[in-house]
Amino acid sequence: MAGTVSKIVRFEDEESFIDDIDFALERFSYLASRYGHNPIKGVVLWDYIAIEDNEDVKVFRVGEFPFVEGMLKLDLERIRTLEGYFDEMESKWDELTVEEINAYVEMMNEALGEKRVFYDAYSLGLDRNTAYIIIDVHALHYLAGILEGEEKELLDEAAEVLLKYI
């Protein structure tokens, strides 16, 4: 994408990182809803997995499958197949690697008989305590040039959080 910067960022505390990114995304999303430009085009954590159901693609973290299960528009047999693999991954959480998640995704697709599960972290070179962020520099520059007052403060707060990792 023209005008974007992609970066692998590292962090020590995953939950703090997620809280920080949520904080920044909330502010950027609000500004994007008003001005049509969002500086964050994407974030991929090392344990994000996507599943294509009968409607669209849903993205979640390995440990979130029980919460997403009710949202997936798939037949019960496929959901149970996925559930077994995700339960096994969760049981190995402390030592789970990107390579192992990738292998599980391949096994899930084979068990389903079609490619419905996607895992980009492996091909992006991520590992634990890393994320891939895509920043739209043009959008950031545009918002910085037009915002004033409280909205400018929102932008500055969100950008400051991003800079902590970049």
Side-chain angles (χ1 to χ4, degrees):
M1 285 188 264
T4 62
V5 174
S6 303
K7 175 121 174 89
I8 293 177
V9 297
R10 301 192 189 307
F11 45 85
E12 295 298 318
D13 182 345
E14 190 166 295
E15 294 309 313
S16 291
F17 173 77
I18 291 169
D19 289 344
D20 285 346
I21 291 301
D22 284 345
F23 174 88
L25 286 173
E26 181 180 294
R27 280 150 181 75
F28 287 143
S29 294
Y30 165 75
L31 295 171
S33 73
R34 294 189 39 95
Y35 300 99
H37 297 273
N38 193 334
I40 300 293
K41 292 298 180 194
V43 176
V44 177
L45 278 171
W46 72 277
D47 61 349
Y48 274 10
I49 292 181
I51 297 178
E52 183 177 4
D53 64 9
N54 297 331
E55 293 179 351
D56 58 7
V57 176
K58 296 181 173 74
V59 178
F60 58 95
R61 297 181 72 195
V62 169
E64 294 175 344
F65 187 77
F67 305 110
V68 177
E69 185 178 1
M71 295 172 27
L72 287 174
K73 305 298 185 229
L74 291 171
D75 61 69
L76 190 56
E77 183 180 331
R78 284 187 174 136
I79 289 176
R80 293 298 163 236
T81 298
L82 294 171
E83 183 177 46
Y85 286 102
F86 281 103
D87 286 348
E88 191 172 332
M89 279 192 285
E90 286 181 54
S91 73
K92 299 177 179 185
W93 177 252
D94 290 335
E95 65 270 357
L96 193 63
T97 67
V98 172
E99 291 79 11
E100 289 171 320
I101 295 172
N102 194 58
Y104 275 106
V105 167
E106 289 175 9
M107 288 187 288
M108 282 185 258
N109 284 324
E110 189 174 312
L112 292 172
E114 61 186 335
K115 188 165 181 151
R116 284 198 177 259
V117 185
F118 304 92
Y119 182 62
D120 291 332
Y122 179 75
S123 60
L124 290 170
L126 300 182
D127 205 348
R128 276 190 184 265
N129 295 330
T130 61
Y132 182 79
I133 298 178
I134 303 168
I135 301 169
D136 184 338
V137 179
H138 290 303
L140 194 57
H141 181 70
Y142 172 78
L143 291 172
I146 65 163
L147 297 178
E148 296 178 349
E150 288 181 26
E151 289 181 333
K152 176 75 166 143
E153 288 177 29
L154 290 175
L155 178 68
D156 291 346
E157 290 170 352
E160 188 175 313
V161 166
L162 277 182
L163 288 174
K164 189 163 103 175
Y165 296 100
I166 298 173

